[in-house]
């Protein structure tokens, strides 16, 4: 028994965390996302079993998720950069406003209800999945990226939403880039690059946001980041990320679009069910 929990249950949960870490790494490399949609539900079950207070459980899941996907996002970006598909101008224009959005999101997440995060993800993910599945290149806002003002707004929105959902913002930046005529491969590579500052600042933000609630958090937590959760899952997901990135460059554009949209729809359904059944 550890903290009143049978060792057999802890072993199965540890196995689930490791498997989720592998899936997270593959998803991060393949789609330019951090994999938070996989991590958060797994961590929620783990923290529930260990008796983490309901008032801080979701925030702890989100903060820990962002911290876990940090090394995964970095490795995914470095792998994609070697292929020469990252768009440097986008990173320059989006980095600062995205970081500002992350800071705002970390502050909001300290008191916002979990339903806010889930509804936002469902709406955005369903939109882009529908585009990829049925519209192809017909849904476009232009063939070139807009000027600095709208790009700044996009960057802020991506950072804010990514922070609230516990993700690196890859799904959101993929939406914007493909709507302006960028290929899915360029979007994936650039999204991975933008995810680096988002996850760094998001991790620090959730650590600080959780400090006033430290008494309710489990041992080995630094604010809303579980150091144990990071230690178990982050190495596994980081090691798996380059394999996903290599897979992305071997797939055709249409295959990658269909795979990405299917992933988004599955995650949306999972969040939709949790809204009504509270699971």
């Amino acid at each position: 028994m550890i903290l009143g929990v049978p060792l057999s249950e802890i072993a199965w949960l540890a196995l689930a965390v490791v498997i989720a870490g592998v899936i997270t790494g593959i998803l991060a490399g393949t789609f330019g996302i951090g994999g938070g949609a996989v991590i958060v539900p797994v961590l929620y079950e783990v923290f529930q079993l260990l008796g983490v207070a309901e008032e801080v459980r979701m925030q702890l899941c989100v903060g820990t998720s962002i911290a876990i996907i940090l090394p995964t996002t970095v490795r995914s970006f470095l792998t994609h950069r070697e292929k020469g598909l990252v768009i440097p101008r986008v990173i320059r224009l989006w980095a600062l406003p995205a970081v500002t959005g992350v800071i705002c999101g970390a502050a909001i997440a300290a008191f916002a209800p979990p339903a806010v995060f889930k509804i936002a993800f469902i709406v955005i993910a369903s939109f882009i999945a529908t585009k990829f599945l049925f519209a192809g290149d017909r849904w476009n806002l232009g063939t070139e990226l807009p000027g600095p003002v709208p790009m700044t707004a996009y960057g802020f929105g991506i950072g804010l939403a990514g922070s609230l959902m516990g993700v690196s913002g890859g799904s959101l930046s993929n939406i914007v880039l493909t709507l302006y005529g960028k290929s899915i491969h360029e979007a994936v590579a650039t999204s991975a690059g933008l995810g680096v500052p988002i996850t760094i600042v998001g991790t620090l933000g959730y650590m600080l946001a959780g400090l006033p609630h430290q008494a309710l958090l489990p041992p080995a937590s630094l604010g809303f980041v579980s150091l144990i959760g990071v230690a178990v899952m982050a190495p596994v997901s980081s090691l798996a990320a380059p394999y996903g990135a290599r897979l992305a460059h071997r797939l055709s554009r249409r295959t990658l679009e269909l795979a990405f949209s299917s992933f988004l729809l599955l995650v949306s359904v999972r969040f939709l069910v949790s809204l009504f059944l509270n699971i």
Side-chain angles (χ1 to χ4, degrees), residues 123-144 154 174-183 253-254 257 261 265:
V123 171
I124 297 171
S126 298
F127 174 79
I128 189 60
T130 301
K131 175 186 181 296
F132 280 156
L133 283 175
F134 303 112
D137 293 330
R138 294 191 299 274
W139 288 13
N140 283 312
L141 297 177
T143 57
E144 298 293 335
Y154 282 136
N174 276 330
I175 293 173
V176 176
L177 292 173
T178 54
L179 285 176
Y180 282 98
K182 301 303 177 184
S183 73
R253 172 175 176 169
R254 186 56 182 162
E257 287 177 342
S261 60
L265 288 176

Side-chain angles (χ1 to χ4, degrees), residues 30-31 185 244 246-256 259:
T30 305
F31 301 130
H185 293 89
R246 295 188 187 102
L247 176 62
H249 294 285
R250 293 175 182 171
L251 298 175
S252 68
R253 172 175 176 169
R254 186 56 182 162
T255 300
L256 194 56

Side-chain angles (χ1 to χ4, degrees), residues 58-205:
M58 190 64 190
Q59 297 95 314
L60 184 63
C61 291
V62 173
T64 305
S65 170
I66 295 176
I68 288 171
I69 62 182
L70 170 55
T72 306
T73 303
V74 171
R75 292 204 67 184
S76 176
F77 166 62
L78 293 176
T79 303
H80 282 294
R81 189 175 63 175
E82 293 176 0
K83 304 293 183 178
L85 292 175
V86 177
I87 308 174
R89 173 175 174 263
V90 174
I91 302 296
R92 289 194 300 268
L93 289 174
W94 277 356
L96 182 58
V99 166
T100 304
V102 170
I103 294 172
C104 294
I108 294 171
F111 57 84
V116 172
F117 314 145
K118 296 174 183 177
I119 292 172
F121 190 93
I122 290 169
V123 171
I124 297 171
S126 298
F127 174 79
I128 189 60
T130 301
K131 175 186 181 296
F132 280 156
L133 283 175
F134 303 112
D137 293 330
R138 294 191 299 274
W139 288 13
N140 283 312
L141 297 177
T143 57
E144 298 293 335
L145 292 170
V149 174
M151 286 293 282
T152 298
Y154 282 136
F156 177 82
I158 290 168
L160 175 63
S163 176
L164 292 176
M165 293 186 290
V167 300
S168 67
S171 300
L172 304 175
S173 48
N174 276 330
I175 293 173
V176 176
L177 292 173
T178 54
L179 285 176
Y180 282 98
K182 301 303 177 184
S183 73
I184 186 62
H185 293 89
E186 288 178 310
V188 165
T190 306
S191 296
L194 184 64
V196 175
I198 287 177
T199 51
I200 291 174
V201 177
T203 299
L204 296 174

Side-chain angles (χ1 to χ4, degrees), residues 212-226:
H213 308 276
Q214 198 70 41
L216 294 175
L217 295 168
S221 295
L222 182 56
F224 287 139
V225 174
S226 168

Side-chain angles (χ1 to χ4, degrees), residues 28-47:
T30 305
F31 301 130
I33 63 173
V38 177
I39 297 172
V40 171
V42 173
L43 290 180
Y44 191 86
E45 301 302 329
V46 173
F47 293 148

